[in-house]
Every structure is written in C-alpha cells, then in structure tokens.
Amino acid sequence: MDVTRSEFQDLVGAYALDACEPEEATAIDAYIATNADAAAEAERLRDAAAWLGAVGALNPPAALRGRLLAVAAERVDGLPPVEALRRETARFVTLLDSLTPADLDVVTCNGLTVRELVAHVAVIDEAFVAGTETTNHVLVGADHVEALTRAELPKIADWSFEQICARFYTARRALVGLDGRVAPTTRVGGYALEAALVIRAFETWTHHDDIVAALGRAEEQIEGPVLRTMSELAIQTLPVAMAAKGYAYPGTTARIVMTGPGGGDWTIAVTAHEAVAPVPHVVLRVPAIEFCRRFADRLAVDEVPVEIEGDAELARALVDAAPAFAGL
C-alpha cells in the first residue's frame, strides 16, 4: 500500500510505538525513505516514545518554595495500576446503578447519550483485551477508539440498558483479570500492561464525570491515590504529546507541580532523549484535578488555572499539548 501525507500523519504515532500493522509499517518505511521531513518526524516520535518515562526531581525556584511546601501535606502516593482501575470501576458501577430510564437518553459532552457512552466504555475495554491475543498489537488510539465506537453502536441499538451493562461488566472483568494472567511487559491495546490499565482508569473517571455533568448532578470527588496514579501517566506522556503536537523546545526543562489531592512534583526534559537541566526553564503550578481534566480534553487551554514562573510560552505549549492523545 502507498500512503499519503494525511495517512502518514494518522499512522506515525502508532509507527513510533511499533503498533502498526505490518503492511502499514512497510508503507511508512517506503514513504519516509523519500521524504526527509517525514523521516525526521518519525525519528523524533520514536525517540520520545523510547524516553517516555524519563523524569526526575529538582529544587523549586525560591519564589515558589513556600507555596510548594504548604501543599505537601495534601500529597498521597499513587496506586498499583490495577487497583486504580478497580476503584474507578467501583465508582462507575455505583453510578450506573443509580441511573433511571429517563437518564439514559441524555446527551453527554461528547455527543453520545448516557446509554451509548456506557456501551462505548465496554467496546473499548474489549478492544484492549483483544489486543493481548494478537502479535500485531494494534494501537487503540483516539482515531481507532472513535471508529470502533461508531461501528459498534448501531449493532446494539435495540439492546436493553441491562444488556449493555452486562457487556461492560464482562469486558471490565476480563481487563482487570489481565493483571494476574499476563506478564507486565505484555502489550495491551498497543501499550504496556500497566499503562493500559491506567489509561482505562482515566477514561472511566472521565466518562463518569461526563455522565454526572450531563445529568446535572453534584460533582463526586475522586480518591486522591487514584488521581495521583492518573497524574503520573499525564506527566509521563507530556514529552510524546509535545512532539505529536509539533512543539519543539530543545534543551528545555519543565517542572510541573500539581496541587491538591492527587498532586505531585515532577521535572521533565521537554524534548525526550535530553538531559534534565539543573534549573527548570518554567515551573507550572496547577491543581491535579484540573490538569487531568485538560489531559482528558475536558477543559480548554485558557480554562486551566495555571500559575507560571519562567517561560510563559513554553508553559502554554505544555498545557496545549496535554490532550494530544485524548479520544471521545
């Protein structure tokens, strides 16, 4: 197969993660062999993927030190990924049990009804589980998620909500069960197992809140340890997200301090595969809950309450890039 520039843009993220189908990878290899700009982009994303987890801690700028220490008591440790998923699953199930027939056709922020949104969660859980049974390890990315959902929803148009919930329960049990059944290095939906479990916890939390907001109910507090686990995923993804969005800040370091329950303190090289500088070029102080909502693409850039010290342009780029891989 031959690929166009548009198709290359759609596939290059999966290519960087070695998650393309063999024929797609071959086609991209041929494309970048004759296109220097595309080759450079693919190489940049491969480097970012290889160094995704490179984070460390540095001392804060003096002006922020007092404020950072003041919120330290709110910090909690994260959870094992499967435990974070279990806890968010329990909250989601409680929400499902509380729904009335009148709630099911209410439209949520992503255009799906409550009923359809629960079906969507089940469908994507199934896709992640199915990904462990193949050697191709197709990446369950944002485009794939939307395509799967749009293809599957018409098939269950006549299902009762009880049938949809039963499908979700079956899929989620299978997903949680992977933690004891497969090795931690197993690719699940194109991701390492632990990352996949946190991704699913993140989506469960996001859609729980989508439903609560659509129904006009009072916001429910997520557990601090679960939020901390999700915050860590968001931070670890930032260098890849920056590259995917086309931002280039070579030689720069950022410190992200998330406050409130689930908060933490991370310093990262903005461009993956680079060393962390002794003094960060920018420090962002932001509530963990708001940063995670931005990561899930539920807040616009200007809606995120960020306190900045240092390079304001770099700070905005980081916040802008955060939801680079967000789906429905």
Side-chain angles (χ1 to χ4, degrees):
M1 63 178 283
D2 295 325
V3 297
T4 64
R5 178 66 185 180
S6 176
E7 290 169 334
F8 169 78
Q9 291 291 344
D10 289 340
L11 292 170
V12 67
Y15 178 81
L17 293 167
D18 293 324
C20 283
E21 297 283 3
E23 62 271 21
E24 292 173 339
T26 299
I28 292 177
D29 285 339
Y31 182 82
I32 65 179
T34 59
N35 189 314
D37 289 341
E41 183 174 354
E43 185 63 23
R44 183 175 73 249
L45 288 177
R46 278 192 178 277
D47 285 344
W51 287 84
L52 181 60
V55 296
L58 295 176
N59 292 326
L64 289 185
R65 184 174 180 82
R67 292 193 293 275
L68 304 187
L69 291 175
V71 299
E74 298 177 329
R75 306 280 167 73
V76 294
D77 292 333
L79 296 168
V82 72
E83 181 60 23
L85 180 58
R86 286 194 183 104
R87 294 192 189 190
E88 277 310 289
T89 299
R91 283 209 316 138
F92 196 63
V93 168
T94 299
L95 175 63
L96 298 186
D97 289 344
S98 75
L99 298 177
T100 69
D103 295 330
L104 303 184
D105 291 326
V106 174
V107 178
T108 65
C109 65
N110 50 32
L112 301 181
T113 65
V114 170
R115 181 181 182 279
E116 291 170 334
L117 192 56
V118 176
H120 156 74
V121 176
V123 167
I124 305 309
D125 274 3
E126 291 170 349
F128 271 77
V129 173
T132 66
E133 310 300 332
T134 175
T135 57
N136 291 332
H137 304 305
V138 176
L139 181 71
V140 184
D143 292 342
H144 192 44
V145 163
E146 185 164 355
L148 280 173
T149 301
R150 300 300 178 190
E152 197 65 24
L153 288 181
K155 300 177 185 178
I156 60 173
D158 296 330
W159 285 28
S160 69
F161 189 60
E162 289 73 19
Q163 288 175 303
I164 291 173
C165 289
R167 182 172 178 175
F168 163 67
Y169 301 146
T170 298
R172 183 52 58 91
R173 281 195 296 269
L175 181 65
V176 171
L178 292 178
D179 184 68
R181 186 168 68 83
V182 303
T185 55
T186 300
R187 305 296 285 182
V188 176
Y191 307 89
L193 173 62
E194 290 193 345
L197 296 176
V198 180
I199 288 168
R200 298 309 298 147
F202 218 124
E203 183 175 0
T204 305
W205 166 70
T206 299
H207 293 325
H208 177 286
D209 282 6
D210 289 344
I211 292 171
V212 166
L215 298 180
R217 296 188 182 183
E219 181 182 336
E220 298 179 23
Q221 187 71 34
I222 185 175
E223 293 182 60
V226 177
L227 186 59
R228 172 58 185 259
T229 304
M230 299 191 324
S231 298
E232 290 177 352
L233 175 71
I235 291 297
Q236 290 171 1
T237 305
L238 267 181
V240 179
M242 289 285 283
K245 292 283 284 186
Y247 286 113
Y249 286 88
T252 57
T253 291
R255 186 176 190 191
I256 297 95
V257 181
M258 295 195 202
T259 61
D265 190 338
W266 298 267
T267 301
I268 61 172
V270 173
T271 301
H273 202 6
E274 290 189 344
V276 174
V279 177
H281 297 80
V282 65
V283 177
L284 286 74
R285 184 173 181 267
V286 56
I289 192 76
E290 306 291 7
F291 191 86
C292 286
R293 284 176 177 147
R294 174 60 188 160
F295 182 84
D297 204 18
R298 292 305 187 266
L299 287 180
V301 173
D302 293 331
E303 293 176 321
V304 182
V306 182
E307 181 180 347
I308 300 167
E309 182 164 311
D311 189 335
E313 180 185 281
L314 173 57
R316 184 175 180 83
L318 288 162
V319 177
D320 181 58
F325 305 113
L328 286 171

